[in-house]
Amino acid sequence: MNLINKGLAALLFLLPTLGWAAPAFLVDSEWLAEHIDEENLIVLEARYHPHRHYTVGHIPGAVQVQRFRDLGDNQGSPLMRFPSREAFQATLRRWGVSDDSTLVLYDDSNTALVSRLYYLLELYGFDMAQVKILNGGTVEWSAFEEMSKEPTPQRATGSVTLKAANPALFVEWTDVYDDVLSRRDPGVVLLDARPRDMYTGQVIAHAIQGGHIPGAVNVVSLEGTSGQKWKSGEELAALYRDVPKEKTIYAYCHDGFRMSLAYLQLKYLGHKDVRLYNGGWSHWGNELTLPVVQGEAPYSGDYEL
């Protein structure tokens, strides 16, 4: 066996043990501590309960993100439809964001909240090489560094310029109804990222109806995290093992946070075409004319035929 073949054989032997590289957008508290004083770096915090930015504390200098007001359509129905380009651009500028800013996002919710922010930045064409997520969020930082209760001074207004929403990254309810319910397009997988008891209809919360959209499969995106951190690539691959990489994924949850986490997880795993349902279950589950399935199966009753 020549040297080249020996090298290839050795590489093939090692591949099963190499594992998954960590997502390039995830950073730890040590990385942030080293870069936090850089001029163009902006830290953005989204808490499940926004008041804790002040009562519990935040990373020094962090700008507060109010998850509903800042990341939804304040005049829309439901409120968590995607904000318009103009509204989201104005929000980013209020935070001091410009085109050359480096953004570090963190939350106290297993990165589900900042996944929504990350997705919106990508939807509107921000340079995603400049966006990082603090893996472990508030727990990661407070374990090694101090939190602050002092209000963050208002930053100078930014000048970021966003692009039109990328139509390849989202779908409306009409797309779901046409592609999944009506035509049963074999190239599309509808993914419900909510907890299992909400998918089955055992628990009805924040909507008139319980259950799921006919045809949806259930993968609970938060099961890909533990202790505020992402699980390993191997564990994420196992979680999504039944979702084919070659198919188009339409993902939804209730308010748009868990589906955004699913979006990031799937893209990390190599899925090329992942689109989020603008409005999600907070739209579908409150429209009494739209069909709903209850139970464990994607389809049931008339929708099985």
Side-chain angles (χ1 to χ4, degrees):
M1 182 181 292
N2 61 38
L3 290 176
I4 294 178
N5 288 336
K6 285 182 179 180
L8 289 173
L11 179 60
L12 291 173
F13 177 78
L14 287 172
L15 279 177
T17 67
L18 291 177
W20 291 77
F25 53 80
L26 290 182
V27 297
D28 58 20
S29 61
E30 183 178 358
W31 185 96
L32 179 54
E34 291 175 357
H35 294 81
I36 198 167
D37 293 326
E38 292 179 1
E39 182 179 356
N40 290 338
L41 186 138
I42 300 174
V43 179
L44 299 173
E45 179 198 79
R47 282 190 176 271
Y48 190 86
H49 299 292
H51 68 273
R52 292 181 178 171
H53 178 85
Y54 302 100
T55 59
V56 176
H58 50 268
I59 294 175
V63 177
Q64 184 190 38
V65 176
Q66 296 182 22
R67 63 189 181 106
F68 291 128
R69 185 194 68 167
D70 294 335
L71 304 181
D73 180 353
N74 296 338
Q75 310 306 320
S77 181
L79 286 175
M80 290 311 289
R81 284 181 59 83
F82 305 141
S84 68
R85 181 191 71 84
E86 293 78 11
F88 188 52
Q89 179 174 277
T91 296
L92 292 176
R93 289 180 176 182
R94 172 165 52 85
W95 294 338
V97 178
S98 297
D99 292 326
D100 62 350
S101 297
T102 296
L103 306 181
V104 180
L105 324 177
Y106 77 95
D107 63 25
D108 57 1
S109 303
N110 293 289
T111 73
L113 303 186
V114 291
S115 291
R116 166 82 171 198
L117 176 51
Y118 187 103
Y119 169 80
L120 289 176
L121 288 163
E122 185 162 16
L123 177 67
Y124 288 116
F126 191 77
D127 185 350
M128 300 311 292
Q130 298 166 200
V131 183
K132 305 293 182 184
I133 292 176
L134 178 61
N135 196 18
T138 54
V139 172
E140 167 75 7
W141 181 265
S142 61
F144 302 99
E145 306 286 349
E146 293 294 326
M147 303 289 275
S148 172
K149 295 182 181 180
E150 295 296 321
T152 297
Q154 179 67 43
R155 300 183 66 97
T157 301
S159 58
V160 65
T161 301
L162 299 179
K163 301 175 183 177
N166 184 347
L169 296 185
F170 70 95
V171 293
E172 300 290 349
W173 77 266
T174 47
D175 301 303
V176 177
Y177 192 90
D178 181 29
D179 298 339
V180 180
L181 273 75
S182 300
R183 296 191 300 106
R184 303 291 172 93
D185 187 337
V188 175
V189 173
L190 180 60
L191 189 149
D192 185 320
R194 297 175 300 157
R196 190 68 179 177
D197 55 7
M198 295 181 73
Y199 171 84
T200 62
Q202 181 181 355
V203 170
I204 302 174
H206 314 302
I208 298 172
Q209 303 181 87
H212 57 269
I213 300 172
V217 298
N218 184 220
V219 179
V220 182
S221 61
L222 282 174
E223 292 182 357
T225 64
S226 178
Q228 299 295 332
K229 290 189 175 184
W230 278 40
K231 291 183 178 179
S232 69
E234 290 81 1
E235 290 170 301
L236 287 174
L239 181 65
Y240 289 98
R241 61 185 175 275
D242 296 326
V243 182
K245 288 186 178 179
E246 71 276 8
K247 296 194 176 184
T248 296
I249 313 300
Y250 295 171
Y252 73 93
C253 63
H254 181 74
D255 282 326
F257 299 106
R258 285 169 289 203
M259 71 180 185
S260 300
L261 179 57
Y263 172 86
L264 275 183
Q265 291 167 339
L266 287 164
K267 298 291 280 187
Y268 163 62
L269 291 173
H271 293 259
K272 303 298 184 186
D273 191 358
V274 184
R275 311 180 189 195
L276 299 188
Y277 170 12
N278 188 13
W281 188 254
S282 61
H283 170 258
W284 193 284
N286 285 307
E287 294 289 338
L288 293 177
T289 55
L290 293 177
V292 168
V293 166
Q294 296 185 338
E296 300 282 342
Y299 294 106
S300 67
D302 290 341
Y303 297 100
E304 272 187 308
L305 302 177

